[in-house]
Amino acid sequence: MTDIIQLLPDHVANQIAAGEVVQRPASVVKELLENAIDANSSEIKLILKEAGKTLVQVIDNGKGMSTTDARLSFERHATSKIRSAEDLFQLNTKGFRGEALASIAAIAHVELKTKQENQELGSQIIIEGSNVKSQDVAVTPKGTSVAVKNLFFNIPARRNFLKSNTVELRHVVDEFHRVALAHPGIAFSMYHNGSELFNLPLSNYRQRVVNIFGSKTNEKLVPVEEETEVLKVSGFVGKPEYSKKTKSEQFFFVNNRFIKSPYLNHAINAAFEGLLRDGYHPTYFLNLTVDPKTIDINIHPTKTEIKFDDEHTLYAILRSAVKHSLGQFNVAPILDFESNTNLNTPYNFKDKEGATPVIEIDRSFNPFADEVGQKQPQQRSYTKPPTQDWESLYVGLESKSTKSQGDFKEMTFESESKDQSIFKSEDIALEKTTYQLRQKFIVSTIKSGMLIIDQNRAHQRILYENLLKQLTSKEAITQQLLFPLQLNFSNTDVEMLSQMQNDLEHAGFVFSEFSADEITVTGVPVGVPESEVTIVLEQLISDVENDVPDQNFSASDLLAKSMAKSLAIKTGQSLNVEEQEHLLNSLFACKEPAVSPSHKTTFITLGVEDIEKKFM
């Protein structure tokens, strides 16, 4: 029997590793930015073309590499971060697996330029699909420049799975945010298709957050500081009134490394318990510092998940620290058992001296005089009425009685209406044809039995078809605002909305200005309340990030779905009979009443036979 097990060639092994490390352009951005940070850079520049599909280039001013190191860096499991297995539990750097550059070079065209500070000339290496095309001496400034071109050029199936440029750019920006927030001591800049998206100078942590998410973010932040033997917490949480319906502004950093932890996220939600509206999520930017020996980072290829030795202690400390900050800055109500509010001095009496009380004595007061008077009550005189001539009391009584009886004969009495029977006959038509169940479902009778409608999904279908018709015909009616709305968004959100400006205007929105982190709205579609404009646009941004499958779906369809989701009647909203019937009739006037825009069932029918089976 022949042997069937063989070693894989290096280029095949690299492509398999690339499937774990490189999933989209954002993965390349993350690996290259982390390498630039490990090189002790003070300035890092990120350049993109077509959301990274055509070009991802990272330029830093770090310590650079020698000619030998530059060539060796593209080999599998080649790293300068660790020497032995014990080093995995003392990690203070980013990339340590030694697979990033080798994986990237296996599926793209890579050009590397690097030079050390004490060298006059640097090195240039060009690799295409793990094949080294050239290695030459080059004139280049101090540091390293890595250009990754034509991602997935040799794996077309993987390239076809990439989303639209808008979605891919959003993923790249998310990775850029995570790295830039973790290192405020490094200056970052980002360019896309020749335009500058971010220019983040050297700053402290609060300034870095404000520079990324807009100037209005400064007033939303509440500082959090706590230091124990186990954990040190620093950073900021957002005030409850500025919470969002998306989780786009939730950042955990452990030892300057971004992580995802549902368990610790639950601790933050527990601290905000009772302060947030339903469906809203808190904002936080928290740095956690722990002993590297107590965590295991090497459990996920992207290193975004970390295993802690004692999660329960971290949970309790984090929850208490956040709750204490919310109470300390008067964001949440607190009880202070050590202070007595009765002893607080009013502001009006702060600088006044205490006055000596004056005692007044009534010297004419005699307490015994009242008691004597009470013992001797006044005597009342009573005179007995005379009893003679008592017959005169009945004189004329008979005539008055006769007259009054005549008046009573002419009097009419209002008769009370007879009570109707509590059991209505079958021939009496019921006035109420629909009923609302638990403020979520609308129940109506049909010939075959019973109809149950989900009011939220049904209204989404109605709004979706109406909005799609307006967007297609471009005949939406706009309601002009008396006072323009100035809404604050991050730079990338403003860029995303500006790209969809034409579709938004066809839906009825009117914009007068797009600035770096602010937009001005002067008109809204009819039926959209002024207070709902921010919610509609935030929902639209979230849908663009997550829900667009590819470029074949039109922006009009996405906008109609997003606005319908935001403006639809919510579960828990009470409807009167007229509103219930209008919703029922409008639903069955739609082209596809059976499903919502997200392809979920809007109604079910329950036949008489099904009901009778329940009584068997």
Side-chain angles (χ1 to χ4, degrees):
M1 186 173 180
T2 59
D3 299 331
I4 60 174
I5 296 178
Q6 60 182 355
L7 292 176
L8 288 174
D10 288 342
H11 68 280
V12 177
N14 287 338
Q15 288 188 2
I16 295 173
E20 297 180 349
V21 178
V22 183
Q23 300 173 356
R24 54 185 0 130
S27 306
V28 178
V29 171
K30 175 182 182 296
E31 299 293 343
L32 296 184
L33 288 178
E34 289 182 349
N35 285 342
I37 293 170
D38 287 338
N40 298 330
S41 306
S42 60
E43 294 181 6
I44 300 176
K45 182 185 297 184
L46 172 62
I47 302 173
L48 302 171
K49 286 185 180 179
E50 294 186 7
K53 298 177 183 177
T54 304
L55 173 67
V56 175
Q57 185 175 9
V58 174
I59 304 173
D60 66 68
N61 63 346
K63 55 189 178 182
M65 291 182 286
S66 65
T67 303
T68 304
D69 287 345
R71 177 63 186 86
L72 195 58
S73 64
F74 288 97
E75 297 296 330
R76 289 198 69 195
H77 306 301
T79 179
S80 62
K81 317 299 170 55
I82 60 174
R83 292 289 183 267
S84 62
E86 288 75 15
D87 294 340
L88 290 173
F89 299 97
Q90 292 288 344
L91 289 173
N92 294 307
T93 57
K94 304 295 181 185
F96 56 87
R97 297 167 68 94
E99 295 183 1
L101 289 179
S103 301
I104 294 171
I107 54 174
H109 298 166
V110 180
E111 181 180 351
L112 170 69
K113 292 181 179 180
T114 183
K115 185 178 83 73
Q116 292 179 326
E117 186 175 7
N118 56 355
Q119 300 293 326
E120 294 183 359
L121 297 175
S123 301
Q124 179 181 10
I125 299 178
I126 298 177
I127 301 179
E128 296 180 1
S130 296
N131 296 322
V132 180
K133 295 298 182 180
S134 65
Q135 180 172 358
D136 301 316
V137 177
V139 177
T140 181
K142 175 207 167 189
T144 304
S145 170
V146 182
V148 180
K149 304 175 184 177
N150 303 324
L151 194 65
F152 300 125
F153 80 99
N154 54 354
I155 312 179
R158 292 286 302 275
R159 190 176 182 87
N160 293 335
F161 274 99
L162 295 179
K163 307 297 185 183
S164 64
N165 287 351
T166 303
V167 177
E168 294 298 338
L169 178 61
R170 185 67 189 187
H171 286 289
V172 171
V173 170
D174 287 342
E175 292 293 346
F176 182 81
H177 285 172
R178 294 167 182 175
V179 176
L181 283 172
H183 300 87
I186 302 176
F188 289 89
S189 58
M190 177 177 174
Y191 300 86
H192 180 244
N193 292 340
S195 61
E196 182 183 86
L197 293 184
F198 292 97
N199 189 357
L200 309 175
L202 181 74
S203 61
N204 58 32
Y205 191 58
R206 190 183 192 109
Q207 291 172 338
R208 178 56 56 89
V209 173
V210 173
N211 289 335
I212 291 178
F213 295 99
S215 56
K216 295 293 183 180
T217 311
N218 191 33
E219 62 188 35
K220 307 176 185 178
L221 300 179
V222 177
V224 178
E225 293 288 341
E226 189 68 41
E227 185 171 359
T228 65
E229 296 179 357
V230 180
L231 172 68
K232 179 182 178 182
V233 183
S234 64
F236 303 93
V237 295
K239 295 180 180 178
E241 59 266 27
Y242 297 108
S243 58
K244 290 192 169 187
K245 300 190 74 173
T246 62
K247 299 180 180 181
S248 58
E249 295 184 3
Q250 295 184 345
F251 295 90
F252 273 126
F253 301 97
V254 175
N255 296 351
N256 294 330
R257 183 191 301 273
F258 173 80
I259 67 158
K260 297 178 181 178
S261 176
Y263 187 71
L264 296 183
N265 179 70
H266 188 273
I268 305 297
N269 291 330
F272 276 88
E273 186 177 3
L275 300 177
L276 299 177
R277 292 170 288 176
D278 291 338
Y280 284 77
H281 306 280
T283 298
Y284 54 81
F285 312 90
L286 294 176
N287 296 302
L288 311 180
T289 304
V290 299
D291 188 352
K293 296 180 181 179
T294 63
I295 58 176
D296 184 5
I297 303 171
N298 196 27
I299 63 172
H300 194 275
T302 60
K303 301 182 289 291
T304 55
E305 297 179 9
I306 289 181
K307 183 178 180 181
F308 297 94
D309 283 354
D310 190 0
E311 284 188 330
H312 298 288
T313 302
L314 299 183
Y315 182 99
I317 295 174
L318 191 59
R319 178 180 177 274
S320 300
V322 174
K323 203 169 186 65
H324 174 71
S325 294
L326 293 175
Q328 183 179 7
F329 291 92
N330 296 326
V331 177
I334 60 170
L335 289 176
D336 190 355
F337 295 99
E338 297 180 358
S339 64
N340 188 350
T341 56
N342 296 327
L343 302 179
N344 295 340
T345 304
Y347 289 106
N348 296 335
F349 297 92
K350 181 178 179 182
D351 298 325
K352 292 184 179 181
E353 297 181 357
T356 305
V358 180
I359 302 176
E360 296 182 359
I361 301 175
D362 185 6
R363 299 184 180 279
S364 63
F365 176 72
N366 186 2
F368 300 101
D370 292 339
E371 292 183 3
V372 174
Q374 290 177 2
K375 292 180 180 180
Q376 296 178 358
Q378 292 181 352
Q379 295 181 355
R380 296 179 181 179
S381 59
Y382 175 76
T383 306
K384 186 177 181 181
T387 56
Q388 62 272 21
D389 301 332
W390 56 269
E391 296 87 351
S392 62
L393 297 174
Y394 296 95
V395 176
L397 182 60
E398 184 177 354
S399 60
K400 290 181 181 179
S401 175
T402 306
K403 184 177 180 181
S404 62
Q405 288 179 3
D407 294 340
F408 279 123
K409 289 180 181 178
E410 296 176 0
M411 233 176 241
T412 59
F413 295 94
E414 183 179 358
S415 60
E416 295 182 0
S417 60
K418 295 182 179 179
D419 294 335
Q420 296 180 354
S421 173
I422 60 175
F423 298 100
K424 295 184 178 181
S425 58
E426 294 182 357
D427 57 347
I428 299 177
L430 294 174
E431 296 180 359
K432 196 171 183 179
T433 58
T434 60
Y435 300 88
Q436 191 177 23
L437 178 64
R438 294 293 181 94
Q439 296 182 340
K440 181 177 182 180
F441 302 104
I442 296 175
V443 183
S444 180
T445 56
I446 54 178
K447 291 182 179 179
S448 60
M450 183 183 297
L451 180 71
I452 304 175
I453 301 173
D454 188 308
Q455 63 183 32
N456 176 260
R457 296 180 184 178
H459 199 211
Q460 282 189 39
R461 165 54 61 178
I462 297 168
L463 291 176
Y464 169 70
E465 293 199 1
N466 292 337
L467 289 167
L468 197 59
K469 181 179 179 181
Q470 294 176 2
L471 289 168
T472 306
S473 61
K474 302 179 182 179
E475 296 178 353
I477 303 175
T478 301
Q479 178 181 354
Q480 294 294 326
L481 298 177
L482 184 60
F483 300 102
L485 286 176
Q486 293 182 343
L487 307 178
N488 296 99
F489 294 96
S490 63
N491 296 353
T492 51
D493 291 345
V494 172
E495 178 71 17
M496 190 180 299
L497 292 174
S498 64
Q499 294 177 3
M500 303 187 67
Q501 182 177 357
N502 291 335
D503 295 300
L504 287 169
E505 289 177 347
H506 293 158
F509 286 96
V510 178
F511 303 95
S512 63
E513 183 181 359
F514 278 84
S515 62
D517 58 354
E518 187 178 74
I519 64 174
T520 303
V521 182
T522 57
V524 297
V526 173
V528 178
E530 187 175 335
S531 59
E532 298 283 332
V533 174
T534 304
I535 298 175
V536 170
L537 295 180
E538 286 182 351
Q539 184 66 52
L540 174 62
I541 292 170
S542 175
D543 291 340
V544 170
E545 295 174 13
N546 305 315
D547 297 346
V548 183
D550 52 41
Q551 295 177 339
N552 297 329
F553 283 70
S554 65
S556 301
D557 183 76
L558 168 67
L559 180 58
K561 287 182 180 179
S562 180
M563 290 182 63
K565 188 188 302 182
S566 302
L567 300 174
I569 297 171
K570 302 295 185 292
T571 298
Q573 184 173 343
S574 180
L575 304 176
N576 56 37
V577 179
E578 290 79 8
E579 292 171 338
Q580 297 170 22
E581 293 180 349
H582 178 71
L583 186 67
L584 180 67
N585 297 330
S586 300
L587 175 64
F588 288 100
C590 294
K591 294 181 179 179
E592 296 184 12
V595 293
S596 68
S598 55
H599 303 286
K600 295 180 179 178
T601 304
T602 57
F603 68 88
I604 61 171
T605 56
L606 200 61
V608 177
E609 297 82 3
D610 298 329
I611 299 175
E612 289 177 346
K613 290 179 181 178
K614 301 294 182 182
F615 292 93
M616 289 183 178

